[in-house]
Amino acid sequence: MNVMPMQQQSTVSLPDAHAALRRAAAAERFPALARRLGWLNALEQLIQQNHDALIAAINSDFGQRSSVETRLGELFPSLEELRSARRQLRRWMKPQRRGVSIWFRPARNRVLPQPLGVVGIVVPWNYPLFLALGPLIGALAAGNRVMIKMSEFTPATGQLLAELVARYFEPDLVCVVNGGPELAQAFTRLPFDHLLFTGSTAVGHHVMRAAADNLTPVTLELGGKSPALVARDADFARAAESIVAGKLFNAGQTCVAPDYVLVNAKDRDRLLAMLDAAATRAYPTLANNPDYSNIINQRHYQRLQDWLSEARAAGAEIRQINPAAEDLSGSRKLPLTLVLNCPADCALLREEIFGPILPVVCYDHFDEALDYINARPRPLALYLFDNDPLRIEKTLHQTISGGVCINESVLHVIQHDMPFGGVGASGMGHYHGYEGFLTFSKLKPVFEQSRWSGSWMTRPPYGRTVQWLLRLMMRG
């Protein structure tokens, strides 16, 4: 299939598309289980019947994107989450019985998960399929109508997904729009019933301000600097393999990629040697290696080069792992680059890197490493490599992050029964699995009074009966 090289501005009017979704949501306020399962089945057909075209579109947008990474990081987790939602949806939709205080019995309480209405999803460029379909699954399972805004940096994928969604879904159920920053700003100003944004912390501020005008609740999946903390008695070979795998998947363009490594100063050289060896085994060549992905565009490639130049000028040591000593100039491939002795005020230690650059920071005592993490904005992920149960528990209780992997990296994101989300500067709210269903639902509390209610005793005019009853109630 030919994929489009340039982004096309959606011809659909945002207000008109939103109004159509709103009318459809009003006409079907509580879609039945069978309807929602049908939507999920249609989405699975969209993926299964078009996965080659989707892989080709993403590869076109990146210039070189590993097809294995697209399958592992986008197609597989989307299908896994979809199938899990389909299996559990009946239970998720079922009203939950809640307890009733003895003073209000024999009334009954229940909580009814109700669709919110119309959900907006703003998708970034780094995983344009998974970060569109993941929240879409939760929104459809919860019974909502959905509008998706794709990134202008992935025009081929955006255009293809718009065409496929129009083929598999009614336009008043799911709508995909494409365009640049102006369209994105107009999108976030629409009066959605919930808005999910995935992207940078800086843009997240603007999204939240725009949503505030309509009091639109938001889920913000942002980023930040996710640390990999290597303890002294860790399995260093295993740690190096995992850090390299997490860092170089999609060339480091992953919101939960290890952003820097904390290692004891006495172990630094041992870890560096193992990182080098792990990267060499995984990617013995880079230039023509189909497994090694490009930086998305020249702008981001130049940003990474500028940050390396700044660190080098400030006295940092730069080590590039280029096993075959290939000339990568003229391409957007960047080898794993280890940065040592980087000053704290350099961009590489202040900003989310989003590329295959890995600063290595040394500590002398384990508590110093925890203090280093806690002194910075709360990260989206924390990766601890350690075999000491007490130290593991201490780290879990003494740090706050969006998620944690122990002796692994990144894989917590694609666990279909685990919530995913940030905290503080790395985001707010979460989705995936049951938590995604809840995010896109209103949990409506329902109190049902019995005909034998004694509530008449608490109503005015207040006399001796209510005073006597209050003495009993306050006594407990």
Side-chain angles (χ1 to χ4, degrees), residues 62 65 69 73 125-127 130-131 198 222-226 245-259 352-356 380-381 383 409-414 420:
F62 275 78
R65 212 299 184 83
E69 290 183 352
W125 53 263
N126 58 325
Y127 291 91
F130 178 51
L131 295 177
T198 304
L222 307 176
K225 302 190 69 61
S226 298
K247 187 62 174 178
L248 297 187
F249 195 91
N250 200 28
Q253 298 164 115
T254 305
C255 58
V256 292
D259 207 81
E352 183 179 11
I353 295 172
F354 235 64
L380 186 55
Y383 305 119
S409 70
V410 174
L411 293 184
H412 67 295
V413 176
I414 57 173
F420 173 68

Side-chain angles (χ1 to χ4, degrees), residues 184-197 203-220 428:
Q185 292 170 12
F187 186 94
T188 57
R189 287 196 295 266
L190 290 170
F192 290 111
D193 297 296
H194 195 96
L195 179 64
L196 185 144
F197 168 81
V203 177
H205 286 282
H206 297 294
V207 170
M208 196 167 181
R209 291 190 193 100
D213 288 339
N214 295 307
L215 294 180
T216 298
V218 296
T219 297
L220 300 178
M428 64 176 64

Side-chain angles (χ1 to χ4, degrees), residues 261-433:
V261 175
L262 286 162
V263 62
N264 189 281
K266 297 176 181 178
D267 299 322
R268 190 196 75 165
D269 291 343
R270 178 161 64 120
L271 180 63
L272 292 176
M274 292 185 178
L275 291 170
D276 189 324
T280 299
R281 283 193 300 272
Y283 304 99
T285 63
L286 301 175
N288 298 311
N289 188 338
D291 292 337
Y292 199 77
S293 299
N294 274 5
I295 302 302
I296 182 67
N297 56 35
Q298 189 61 34
R299 169 187 160 189
H300 281 276
Y301 179 84
Q302 189 58 51
R303 171 184 61 81
L304 296 171
Q305 294 289 3
D306 290 345
W307 287 2
L308 283 173
S309 296
E310 178 198 34
R312 186 181 291 109
E317 180 185 348
I318 311 296
R319 297 186 188 180
Q320 291 197 326
I321 313 303
N322 185 353
E326 296 166 285
D327 181 6
L328 300 176
S329 60
S331 75
R332 295 200 308 274
K333 288 194 172 181
L334 186 64
L336 175 62
T337 304
L338 306 176
V339 182
L340 315 177
N341 305 316
C342 186
D345 59 350
C346 287
L348 290 177
L349 284 182
R350 289 186 293 104
E351 307 290 341
E352 183 179 11
I353 295 172
F354 235 64
I357 300 172
L358 187 64
V360 178
V361 178
C362 292
Y363 65 85
D364 292 320
H365 303 286
F366 189 81
D367 285 353
E368 291 177 10
L370 299 184
D371 291 342
Y372 186 95
I373 294 169
N374 287 328
R376 284 151 180 79
R378 291 170 175 174
L380 186 55
L382 186 152
Y383 305 119
L384 174 63
F385 296 90
D386 198 353
N387 292 312
D388 184 321
L390 293 178
R391 205 158 43 225
I392 290 171
E393 288 304 307
K394 179 176 183 178
T395 303
L396 292 175
H397 288 94
Q398 296 299 320
T399 61
I400 299 178
S401 60
V404 177
C405 283
I406 298 169
N407 294 318
E408 188 53 276
S409 70
V410 174
L411 293 184
H412 67 295
V413 176
I414 57 173
Q415 306 306 307
H416 63 81
D417 202 29
M418 293 259 279
F420 173 68
V423 57
S426 60
M428 64 176 64
H430 40 238
Y431 67 108
H432 290 184

